[in-house]
Amino acid sequence: MTVAAGVFAPGHLGELTRLVPFEMVDDVLALTGRTQARVRLLPARVAVYLLLAACLFAELGYRQVWSRLTAGLHGLAITPPSGSALRQARQRLGPAPVRALFDLLRGPAVTNATQVRWRGLLLTVIDGTTLVVADSPPNTSRYTKHRCTNGSSGYPQVRLSALLTCGTRSMIDAVFDPVSVGELDQARALTGNLQPGMLLLADRNYAAADLLATIAATGAHLLVRCKGNRRLAMIRRLPDGSWLSRVGPVNVRVVEAQVSITTAAGTHTGDYRLLTTLLDPHAYPAADLVRLYHERWEIETAYLELKSSILGGRVLRSRTPEGIDQEIHALLTVYQLLRTAMVDATDSRPGTDPDRASFTTALNTARDQVVHAAGVISDTAIDLVGAIGADVLANLLPERRVRVKTRMIKRSNSKYQARGPNIDRRSYQATTAINIISPDP
């Protein structure tokens, strides 16, 4: 039996459809005015699921993604749409519905895991990265290429900044712009998501006085690294070796420390200076704050999952700015769905650290569920874990160890190593020692 695509619309996301059900997509389409006025071979709902599935199969073209969506529909011979029809369906949809869908799904994951909080505060982190987009005239009219000493990069770039929670790495919000927009401007746009009860971690790029004031005004606390040569007046020395100062209108506590990392290769010592609005040294000891600051690297892992695990280092496929808007919001939505499924899994086993959930396992299982059209229609049994969660729990990562590795740049387009021929590429198990420094006034 041959069935036209519009008669039996194969739009779904496998088991993840339970987290983004048909009713949610239909409501988003109605909200953004994208519900089709007439019956089409490719309804708007199908276009939404096609875009999300395309993020799971970033290495495939849209027609190949379509074949994955229909592979599990046994007994039905669905006439595949042409590439032109798929392109027109995406253009009719536009970016607004996918943006609205991400707005519905973003936010801190609901979890019982204690690791996402520190002394009652929800740990959050902010940072920026760049994505590369297709080198087309419409894209280059908005997104420029990065300039360097040898000319410019091969592809235009998008600057993406995200605010997420530590532990679960769920996305609270994200913004993206041309690279001419700085990370601090994007951070100001994201601070509206902060609220009392949160502790924001950030690197020293975010220690600007006006931004610290904006963050503090939200009621959230902050723990930000600061340059060692920045002039800060000492107001009062505190018992744990930290001291009080003031940055603009914000009262801050300054923590200076020497951190020694000892491995089989020897010991390396570095100086750190942190600023925080947690002013009580008894409730928040200086050494504990230095240890906590390492959690800032959670966002680097999240960007690795977005750019390497999902995209595989590929250029975004859309060739127009509207398509880029649509594609990035679809990418962020899929990331959030996977993270939600992973948290549901680890929460089903009390005491399990969300850090032990493997993103690669969740991603590959979700791909399999799309191909098999599994879990699309929920039955009466309540199963928050499902096949994705079961695979995550069966392949938990080991408990996190303290390890160090030389930071390096890898260039896929050069046969030469970026920092010379003698880079140590090994990872070492390490122990740390923290010595709080209390400088003279």
Side-chain angles (χ1 to χ4, degrees):
M1 178 175 63
T2 300
V3 182
V7 177
F8 184 83
H12 66 87
L13 209 60
E15 189 178 278
L16 293 179
T17 309
R18 298 188 301 176
L19 299 176
V20 55
F22 303 139
E23 296 81 6
M24 179 185 291
V25 174
D26 290 342
D27 288 345
V28 163
L29 292 171
L31 178 67
T32 55
R34 288 297 187 274
T35 303
Q36 62 271 10
R38 60 187 177 88
V39 176
R40 295 181 179 273
L41 293 178
L42 286 171
R45 180 206 286 176
V46 175
V48 171
Y49 285 111
L50 175 70
L51 285 166
L52 299 178
C55 295
L56 290 175
F57 300 99
E59 72 279 11
L60 302 180
Y62 281 107
R63 294 192 68 185
Q64 293 172 301
V65 173
W66 179 270
S67 70
R68 299 301 190 275
L69 289 175
T70 58
L73 303 177
H74 304 294
L76 295 175
I78 299 175
T79 304
S82 66
S84 176
L86 293 173
R87 184 187 69 252
Q88 292 174 27
R90 301 194 317 273
Q91 291 174 344
R92 283 195 306 270
L93 184 69
V98 193
R99 190 184 309 132
L101 185 61
F102 173 66
D103 283 336
L104 277 178
L105 295 169
R106 66 181 176 88
V110 179
T111 177
N112 297 319
T114 59
Q115 292 86 351
V116 302
R117 292 184 176 273
W118 183 77
R119 305 192 180 213
L121 298 171
L122 179 66
L123 293 176
T124 63
V125 58
I126 192 171
D127 205 355
T129 189
T130 57
L131 300 172
V132 289
V133 303
D135 188 5
S136 65
N139 280 347
T140 54
S141 67
R142 174 166 175 76
Y143 301 112
T144 58
K145 299 181 181 181
H146 176 71
R147 295 192 176 278
C148 53
T149 55
N150 296 321
S152 62
S153 59
Y155 293 93
Q157 293 182 326
V158 174
R159 189 184 306 283
L160 170 72
S161 286
L163 173 68
L164 53 80
T165 56
C166 297
T168 65
R169 298 180 205 145
S170 53
M171 196 78 65
I172 299 176
D173 201 1
V175 294
F176 54 91
D177 298 281
V179 289
S180 57
V181 179
E183 289 183 359
L184 294 186
D185 292 327
Q186 292 185 323
R188 294 182 184 96
L190 291 171
T191 54
N193 297 279
L194 298 174
Q195 57 188 12
M198 291 182 174
L199 174 58
L200 179 68
L201 311 179
D203 67 22
R204 56 191 174 190
N205 182 49
Y206 295 88
D210 63 328
L211 180 58
L212 297 184
T214 301
I215 295 170
T218 67
H221 286 289
L222 58 89
L223 180 62
V224 181
R225 192 175 179 185
C226 175
K227 293 181 179 179
N229 60 358
R230 185 169 180 173
R231 292 176 178 267
L232 295 172
M234 179 183 290
I235 297 175
R236 181 161 60 92
R237 195 189 303 273
L238 298 174
D240 64 348
S242 61
W243 42 283
L244 297 180
S245 185
R246 192 172 180 86
V247 177
V250 181
N251 292 321
V252 297
R253 181 165 152 230
V254 184
V255 177
E256 295 191 77
Q258 284 185 337
V259 180
S260 298
I261 306 293
T262 302
T263 69
T267 298
H268 174 75
T269 300
D271 294 335
Y272 279 77
R273 175 190 269 189
L274 304 177
L275 304 179
T276 182
T277 52
L278 299 171
L279 305 182
D280 186 347
H282 301 289
Y284 311 103
D288 290 355
L289 290 172
V290 175
R291 293 187 188 93
L292 177 68
Y293 183 73
H294 183 71
E295 298 295 324
R296 190 197 75 78
W297 286 94
E298 291 275 334
I299 197 166
E300 304 293 350
T301 303
Y303 285 147
L304 175 70
E305 293 162 350
L306 277 170
K307 299 167 66 173
S308 182
S309 298
I310 296 181
L311 289 176
R314 294 176 179 83
V315 176
L316 296 180
R317 65 179 88 207
S318 300
R319 301 185 67 80
T320 65
E322 293 76 14
I324 293 298
D325 189 332
Q326 187 184 66
E327 186 176 355
I328 292 179
H329 278 107
L331 177 67
L332 296 173
T333 298
V334 166
Y335 172 85
Q336 186 75 347
L337 291 173
L338 290 169
R339 275 284 158 199
T340 302
M342 293 164 66
V343 172
D344 288 344
T346 54
D347 263 18
S348 71
R349 190 177 292 178
T352 303
D353 191 337
D355 276 346
R356 296 187 61 194
S358 167
F359 188 86
T360 303
T361 297
L363 174 62
N364 289 330
T365 308
R367 288 170 170 168
D368 293 341
Q369 297 299 294
V370 170
V371 173
H372 298 308
V376 177
I377 304 298
S378 299
D379 56 24
T380 56
I382 298 176
D383 181 13
L384 293 179
V385 175
I388 297 174
D391 270 7
V392 167
L393 292 175
N395 296 278
L396 289 175
L397 301 173
E399 295 284 352
R400 177 183 289 179
R401 297 167 294 167
V402 178
R403 294 180 298 169
V404 295
K405 181 178 175 64
T406 302
R407 198 171 187 183
M408 68 189 73
I409 300 172
K410 295 182 179 179
R411 294 176 180 167
S412 59
N413 62 344
S414 174
K415 64 180 180 180
Y416 301 104
Q417 299 184 61
R419 294 185 179 177
N422 299 316
I423 297 176
D424 186 354
R425 298 181 178 273
R426 292 171 292 177
S427 294
Y428 293 92
Q429 292 192 36
T431 58
T432 61
I434 298 172
N435 178 33
I436 303 300
I437 302 171
S438 185
D440 293 331

